[in-house]
């Protein structure tokens, strides 16, 4: 919907629907920053049709060589030449996205909208080259690494659940390639439509099926993840390219033998008539959620075994049905998290029907929920609603509504307990929201078997002047318990983060730069504590060690409930990175969750207060 509004705004403003004109050809000259021609460059183009909301290959072959002067005269794709020429001439709303790459240079993508000059000059900057060597457990197909993406038009409604066309790619593009023209607000839809990554021919040179040369920016602002997604061989493999490997110029990975997953779909009772059904397997890694497999769903009850999946966690199976006509109502989506996969072994996951819409799952737990005001007095007689999130159907169902008693309490019955070690994202979660007539952030809680919880108490997030409770957390590296009270007498900066959070990684780099400059000034007067909101301790432990972040802060883990953990709930942490500053007396000095503050501003505030530069 947002994309449609953006496009309508562009059309209405007349930026895209201009008078017909030329050119219908495009010459691209590729040079380095010294304006010398790069004779080994390659240039390709995508066409984005805003009328049909489609992206398609504009050139055939997709990536084309330049001549001895570094010039490419683009050869249009025969099937899409008419659309491309209409975009160039201003007769169709859309854009042409140039893809330009050369060995040892940072690749670049440039969005062109009408009026488009017939001649384009692209200057690439020098990059750093990384040799990537793969050592697979099974011999790869001879043509592995040659498949290119965008071999056919891709519609808007397909973008988010269609596997990427290349069988090897590196993501995300934002930190790996230079981008021009994609930051214009009216063209933000291009980011969703094109979904670009680096692939062989664009930022990656294929030496052989197991060896590649990857060119990255000289100073990367973010992370790089290598993905392998080759059906019938190895699907959904993802690995982070670490900064130390980039600095050394070499990456070597042992590719594991595949695992197997039996997916059982039972949607009997669901009306799928007139809809296109698909079963998809997604893999989550590095803050990305990538569609790796998509197969037709032939019937409401079906069983399929996938024998080529990468082992590990992060797999989700999704059954989805969409109306054959985009304008029609309807549709269905059911999902289930797969267990951790193991090489050579078969695991199973079931996608089952859910309770009727509006029906909450039933358990045997009774809990009293109390709401307190900022001063600790009960929030009596306030009206509240309680609802539950059903992960299987991705819908909310009501549990109770009514008025809090004089003690600010409401008793809830028939609630469901979750297993102690179940990841929070898979748990049945309850939400309590005040009925104020306008939106207010709900309180969230999770019940687990054996937790002994009979009463859940909520109060507004801790703000300046409130005393910080003495929370108990675990050291990320060892699991050793630690308490906030250990750091009384120091200024304490809490940094909430997670391994899957890209902006958190950038904030850690900013913290490193800050400490390099001001660490000696802070001395023993301050303690920085990075609190992981990952659902398990291991991913944070591995990332902290791999990136050398253990030298920046004391790294602690909030527990399996992540955002539902007591410390995250107490400070109202709903997004990350997020920061809380606590004074030497154990009182909150600043809660960034209540007043949005950039990481640099929080670091400067810590320096100002801890160094005693205030009066």
């Amino acid at each position: 919907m947002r994309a449609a509004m953006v496009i309508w705004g562009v059309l209405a403003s007349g930026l895209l629907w201009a008078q017909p004109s030329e050119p219908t050809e495009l010459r691209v000259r590729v040079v380095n920053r010294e304006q010398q021609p790069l004779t080994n460059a390659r240039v390709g183009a995508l066409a984005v049709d805003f009328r049909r909301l489609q992206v398609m290959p504009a050139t055939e072959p997709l990536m084309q060589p330049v001549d001895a002067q570094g010039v490419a005269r683009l050869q249009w794709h025969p099937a899409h030449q008419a659309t491309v020429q209409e975009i160039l001439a201003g007769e169709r709303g859309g854009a042409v996205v140039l893809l330009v790459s050369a060995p040892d240079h940072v690749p670049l993508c440039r969005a062109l909208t009408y009026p488009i000059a017939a001649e384009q000059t692209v200057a690439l900057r020098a990059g750093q080259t990384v040799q990537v060597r793969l050592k697979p457990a099974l011999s790869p197909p001879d043509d592995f690494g040659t498949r290119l993406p965008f071999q056919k038009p891709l519609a808007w409604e397909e973008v988010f659940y269609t596997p990427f066309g290349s069988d090897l790619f590196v993501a995300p593009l934002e930190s790996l390639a230079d981008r021009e023209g994609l930051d214009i607000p009216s063209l933000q839809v291009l980011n969703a439509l094109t979904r670009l990554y680096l692939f062989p021919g664009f930022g990656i040179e294929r030496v052989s099926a197991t060896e590649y040369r990857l060119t990255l920016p000289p100073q990367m602002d973010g992370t790089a993840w290598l993905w392998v997604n080759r059906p019938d061989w190895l699907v959904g493999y993802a690995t982070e390219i670490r900064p130390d490997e980039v600095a050394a110029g070499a990456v070597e990975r042992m590719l594991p033998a595949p695992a197997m997953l039996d997916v059982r779909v039972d949607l009997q009772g669901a009306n799928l008539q007139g809809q296109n059904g698909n079963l998809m397997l997604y893999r989550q890694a590095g803050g990305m959620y990538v569609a790796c497999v998509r197969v037709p769903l032939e019937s409401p009850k079906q069983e399929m075994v996938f024998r080529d999946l990468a082992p590990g966690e992060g797999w989700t199976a999704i059954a989805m049905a969409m109306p054959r006509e985009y304008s029609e109502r309807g549709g269905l989506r059911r999902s289930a998290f797969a267990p951790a996969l193991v090489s050579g072994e078969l695991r199973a996951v079931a996608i089952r029907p859910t309770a009727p819409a509006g029906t909450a799952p039933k358990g045997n737990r009774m809990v009293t929920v109390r709401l307190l005001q900022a001063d600790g007095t009960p929030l009596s007689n306030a009206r509240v609603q309680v609802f539950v999130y059903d992960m299987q159907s991705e819908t909310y169902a009501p549990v109770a509504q009514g008025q809090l008693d004089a003690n600010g309490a409401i008793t809830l019955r028939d609630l469901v307990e979750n297993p102690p070690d179940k990841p929070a994202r898979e748990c049945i979660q309850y939400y309590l929201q005040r009925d104020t007539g306008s939106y207010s952030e709900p309180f969230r809680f999770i019940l687990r078997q054996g937790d002994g919880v009979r009463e859940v108490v909520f109060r507004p997030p801790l703000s300046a002047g409130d005393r910080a409770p003495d929370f108990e957390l675990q050291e990320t590296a060892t699991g050793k318990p630690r308490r906030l009270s250990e750091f009384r007498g120091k200024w304490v900066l809490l940094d909430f983060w997670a391994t899957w959070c890209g902006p958190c990684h950038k904030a850690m780099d900013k913290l490193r730069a800050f400490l390099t400059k001001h660490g000696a000034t802070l001395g023993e007067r301050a303690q920085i504590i990075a609190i992981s909101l990952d659902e398990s301790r291991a991913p944070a432990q591995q990332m902290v060690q791999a990136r050398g972040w253990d030298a920046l802060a004391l790294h602690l883990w909030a527990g399996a409930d992540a955002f539902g953990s007591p410390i995250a709930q107490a400070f109202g942490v709903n997004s990350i990175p997020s920061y809380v500053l606590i004074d030497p007396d154990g009182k909150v000095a600043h809660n960034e969750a209540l007043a949005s503050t950039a990481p640099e501003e929080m670091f400067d505030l810590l320096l100002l207060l801890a160094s005693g530069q205030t009066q």
Side-chain angles (χ1 to χ4, degrees):
M1 179 64 71
R2 181 177 298 174
M5 293 175 65
V6 170
I7 295 171
W8 174 250
V10 173
L11 299 179
S13 66
L15 292 177
L16 298 175
W17 290 101
Q19 294 299 317
S21 180
E22 68 274 3
T24 57
E25 297 182 353
L26 204 59
R27 296 174 67 250
V28 182
R29 180 171 176 261
V30 185
V31 298
N32 59 22
R33 289 297 173 90
E34 289 72 39
Q35 298 301 305
Q36 299 169 330
L38 294 175
T39 58
N40 55 358
R42 288 185 174 272
V43 182
L46 305 174
V48 183
D49 184 345
F50 285 169
R51 184 188 301 175
R52 295 177 179 172
L53 282 181
Q54 286 185 333
V55 60
M56 63 199 74
T59 46
E60 174 61 23
L62 180 61
M63 303 300 295
Q64 303 180 2
V66 299
D67 60 20
Q69 287 73 45
V71 176
R73 294 167 177 82
L74 295 184
Q75 303 296 313
W76 302 125
H77 195 296
H80 313 306
Q81 182 171 353
T83 298
V84 174
Q85 292 185 343
E86 288 178 1
I87 293 174
L88 293 174
E91 298 171 355
R92 177 184 292 268
V96 173
V97 180
L98 293 180
L99 307 176
V100 186
S101 180
D104 305 319
H105 290 77
V106 180
L108 178 142
C109 55
R110 174 186 292 177
L112 305 174
T113 55
Y114 183 83
I116 299 174
E119 297 192 7
Q120 300 283 328
T121 297
V122 175
L124 300 182
R125 60 184 175 123
Q128 54 183 335
T129 301
V130 180
Q131 300 286 341
V132 178
R133 298 181 182 88
L134 306 178
K135 294 186 175 182
L138 302 178
S139 297
D142 293 338
D143 63 344
F144 176 72
T146 63
R147 297 196 316 164
L148 297 182
F150 304 108
Q151 295 302 304
K152 62 180 181 179
L154 191 62
W156 164 264
E157 61 268 25
E158 296 180 305
V159 167
F160 303 105
Y161 60 86
T162 297
F164 196 68
S166 178
D167 46 25
L168 181 142
F169 58 94
V170 178
L173 186 76
E174 300 85 70
S175 60
L176 305 178
D178 291 331
R179 294 147 50 92
E180 297 178 359
L182 289 168
D183 297 327
I184 301 173
S186 61
L187 296 180
Q188 288 297 303
V189 67
L190 287 175
N191 289 319
L193 275 174
T194 53
R195 214 175 46 132
L196 290 169
Y197 306 136
L198 302 188
F199 55 85
F202 179 62
I204 303 175
E205 298 171 69
R206 183 183 187 270
V207 179
S208 69
T210 58
E211 188 171 350
Y212 300 83
R213 297 179 75 243
L214 170 65
T215 303
L216 299 174
Q219 292 183 338
M220 268 181 31
D221 184 18
T223 61
W225 282 75
L226 172 69
W227 287 79
V228 171
N229 201 65
R230 178 59 183 258
D232 300 322
W233 185 57
L234 186 62
V235 169
Y237 173 81
T239 180
E240 183 182 13
I241 300 176
R242 303 189 307 269
D244 62 302
E245 294 175 315
V246 175
V251 175
E252 189 173 285
R253 290 291 184 274
M254 303 290 293
L255 298 187
M260 296 175 286
L261 181 64
D262 182 2
V263 181
R264 302 163 188 169
V265 180
D266 183 359
L267 300 179
Q268 293 189 100
N271 183 12
L272 302 182
Q273 186 174 1
Q275 304 189 60
N276 290 323
N278 290 283
L279 175 65
M280 289 154 288
L281 299 182
Y282 283 81
R283 184 87 192 271
Q284 184 178 12
M288 290 170 282
Y289 200 54
V290 175
C292 298
V293 177
R294 177 186 173 190
V295 295
L297 195 60
E298 304 291 350
S299 65
K301 189 171 184 178
Q302 192 168 335
E303 181 176 357
M304 285 171 275
V305 177
F306 299 90
R307 304 179 183 277
D308 52 5
L309 305 184
E313 299 179 339
W315 283 103
T316 303
I318 299 179
M320 178 182 290
M322 298 182 65
R324 293 195 177 101
E325 295 296 330
Y326 187 64
S327 59
E328 292 182 0
R329 293 185 177 183
L332 175 145
R333 177 187 170 105
R334 299 287 186 271
S335 64
F337 293 99
L341 304 185
V342 180
S343 293
E345 296 185 13
L346 178 66
R347 295 289 188 269
V349 64
I351 302 177
R352 300 186 179 92
T354 58
T359 301
K362 297 289 186 180
N364 55 11
R365 186 77 169 269
M366 183 174 71
V367 168
T368 298
V369 180
R370 296 181 62 215
L371 263 62
L372 303 180
Q373 302 184 79
D375 61 2
T377 58
L379 186 65
S380 56
N381 302 319
R383 292 198 60 81
V384 297
Q385 300 180 52
V386 181
F387 48 94
V388 61
Y389 181 58
D390 183 350
M391 177 60 69
Q392 288 290 330
S393 62
E394 300 184 349
T395 59
Y396 293 90
V399 173
Q401 60 179 354
Q403 193 171 28
L404 301 179
D405 63 21
N407 295 317
I410 185 172
T411 299
L412 306 175
R413 294 176 173 82
D414 301 325
L415 304 187
V416 176
E417 298 174 318
N418 297 279
D421 57 349
K422 192 173 187 178
R425 68 180 184 278
E426 301 179 29
C427 288
I428 292 176
Q429 304 182 26
Y430 292 95
Y431 294 80
L432 183 144
Q433 187 172 37
R434 290 186 60 189
D435 189 3
T436 60
S438 60
Y439 178 78
S440 62
E441 193 69 32
F443 296 102
R444 175 175 59 175
F445 64 97
I446 296 173
L447 299 175
R448 294 184 181 273
Q449 296 166 0
D451 59 16
V453 173
R454 297 181 179 275
E455 183 179 68
V456 179
V457 180
F458 292 118
R459 59 179 295 165
L462 296 167
S463 59
D466 292 334
R467 183 166 297 280
D470 190 18
F471 294 107
E472 183 178 289
L473 307 168
Q474 294 182 31
E475 284 189 2
T476 301
T478 65
K480 176 183 175 181
R482 302 294 295 268
R483 305 192 75 92
L484 287 186
S485 58
E486 299 176 34
F487 308 100
R488 291 282 170 80
K490 295 183 178 183
W491 288 93
V492 177
L493 180 66
L494 305 181
D495 174 0
F496 293 91
W497 74 289
T499 56
W500 47 262
C501 168
C504 298
H505 303 170
K506 296 181 181 180
M508 285 289 184
D509 293 336
K510 294 175 181 177
L511 176 59
R512 187 192 302 275
F514 168 78
L515 291 177
T516 300
K517 185 176 181 180
H518 300 293
T521 303
L522 291 176
E524 297 296 322
R525 294 187 292 271
Q527 176 66 58
I528 299 173
I529 302 177
I531 300 177
S532 165
L533 295 183
D534 289 283
E535 294 176 345
S536 62
R537 187 166 56 87
Q541 178 186 12
Q542 295 167 5
M543 181 170 286
V544 167
Q545 292 177 344
R547 299 195 174 191
W549 289 346
D550 46 352
L552 305 180
L554 172 64
H555 285 268
L556 304 180
W557 180 52
D561 287 347
F563 284 89
S565 62
I567 191 168
Q569 289 282 310
F571 290 112
V573 177
N574 294 303
S575 62
I576 49 177
S578 189
Y579 301 88
V580 174
L581 186 59
I582 300 174
D583 70 17
D585 294 327
K587 293 183 178 180
V588 177
H590 183 78
N591 186 352
E592 186 266 343
L594 305 181
S596 182
T597 310
E600 299 92 332
E601 295 174 329
M602 288 300 302
F603 302 154
D604 290 343
L605 179 61
L606 173 65
L607 177 65
L608 181 69
L609 295 173
S611 61
Q613 298 178 25
T614 59
Q615 295 183 350

